[in-house]
């Protein structure tokens, strides 16, 4: 089996859309496909990092990171949001999502990004270094229900930055809709 993770290119968009529909189903899939298109076109989301995973030449995974701002009076930081992550159902539980996350984090760290945020499953993302963001002083763009507070997470790519900065996270315009902020 030949697996490769690489930056997505424009000609991947159709395969990414098909992958997302397969991964998220007919209920959520179309909305997430539109979100990806919107984020890639949104200047307020730039720079973005879009990676794909291929197995034997077939696209089986996708991850997107987009720029966010931490509204803080203390200091300026470079930050991104991981959303969405999709792995084809036939390829799930094979570590592809984890490899996409790790590669994305490595590329963003090399680019000087300080913090990565995600609204996701609190049983999944901590294995990649994410921890609860709210208790570290980072408010989500929209309120997260207290019972789901653990789903709003952060990872410091520069560990010393936690404690030096805090504030509300402002996302790209394409994500500025409360419907994206429930877990």
């Amino acid at each position: 089996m030949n697996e490769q993770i690489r930056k997505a290119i424009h000609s991947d968009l159709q395969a990414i859309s098909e992958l997302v529909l397969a991964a998220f189903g007919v209920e959520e899939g179309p909305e997430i496909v539109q979100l990806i298109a919107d984020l890639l076109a949104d200047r307020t989301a730039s720079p973005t990092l879009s990676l794909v995973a291929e197995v034997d030449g077939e696209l089986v995974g996708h991850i997107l990171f987009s720029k966010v701002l931490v509204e803080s009076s203390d200091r300026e930081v470079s930050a991104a949001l991981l959303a969405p992550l999709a792995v084809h159902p036939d390829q799930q539980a094979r570590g592809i999502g984890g490899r996409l996350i790790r590669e994305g984090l490595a590329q963003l760290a090399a680019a000087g990004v300080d913090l990565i945020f995600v609204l996701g499953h609190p049983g999944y993302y901590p294995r990649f270094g994410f921890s609860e963001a709210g208790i570290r002083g980072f408010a989500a763009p929209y309120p997260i229900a207290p019972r789901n507070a653990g789903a709003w997470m952060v990872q410091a790519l520069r560990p010393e930055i936690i404690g030096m900065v805090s504030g509300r996270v402002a996302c790209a315009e394409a994500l500025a809709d409360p419907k994206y902020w429930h877990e």
Side-chain angles (χ1 to χ4, degrees):
M1 182 162 43
N2 181 19
E3 183 181 309
Q4 173 188 2
I5 294 178
R6 61 172 175 79
K7 286 188 177 178
I9 56 177
H10 184 74
S11 61
D12 291 325
L13 288 178
Q14 182 60 39
I16 290 170
S17 295
E18 292 169 7
L19 162 70
V20 167
L21 290 171
F24 288 96
V26 295
E27 291 293 316
E28 292 180 284
E31 183 176 304
I32 295 171
V33 166
Q34 187 60 54
L35 174 62
I36 291 169
D38 292 347
L39 282 168
L40 292 174
D42 185 345
R43 290 183 189 177
T44 66
S46 185
T48 60
L49 176 61
S50 181
L51 300 175
V52 294
E54 291 179 324
V55 172
D56 296 330
E58 181 182 343
L59 198 141
V60 298
H62 177 252
I63 193 167
L64 182 62
F65 296 87
S66 58
K67 177 184 170 185
V68 295
L69 299 174
V70 178
E71 297 173 341
S72 170
S73 60
D74 297 345
R75 65 177 55 208
E76 196 170 308
V77 296
S78 176
L81 177 75
L82 184 171
L85 169 64
V87 176
H88 194 281
D90 294 342
Q91 298 291 326
Q92 290 178 2
R94 295 183 181 184
I96 292 169
R99 287 190 287 281
L100 282 164
I101 292 169
R102 283 189 289 278
E103 180 61 25
L105 295 175
Q107 288 190 30
L108 291 167
V113 174
D114 300 310
L115 297 167
I116 306 296
F117 295 91
V118 68
L119 178 63
H121 196 285
Y124 180 72
Y125 288 96
R127 69 182 83 168
F128 305 104
F130 288 90
S131 59
E132 192 172 335
I135 62 174
R136 286 170 179 69
F138 299 103
Y142 289 89
I144 305 292
R147 71 180 183 282
N148 295 329
W152 174 237
M153 293 174 268
V154 64
Q155 180 174 158
L157 299 181
R158 273 193 322 136
E160 69 275 8
I161 201 77
I162 296 288
M164 294 173 65
V165 66
S166 61
R168 183 180 164 273
V169 175
C171 60
E173 290 173 6
L175 276 166
D177 187 323
K179 71 181 177 186
Y180 295 123
W181 295 97
H182 58 84
E183 175 60 25

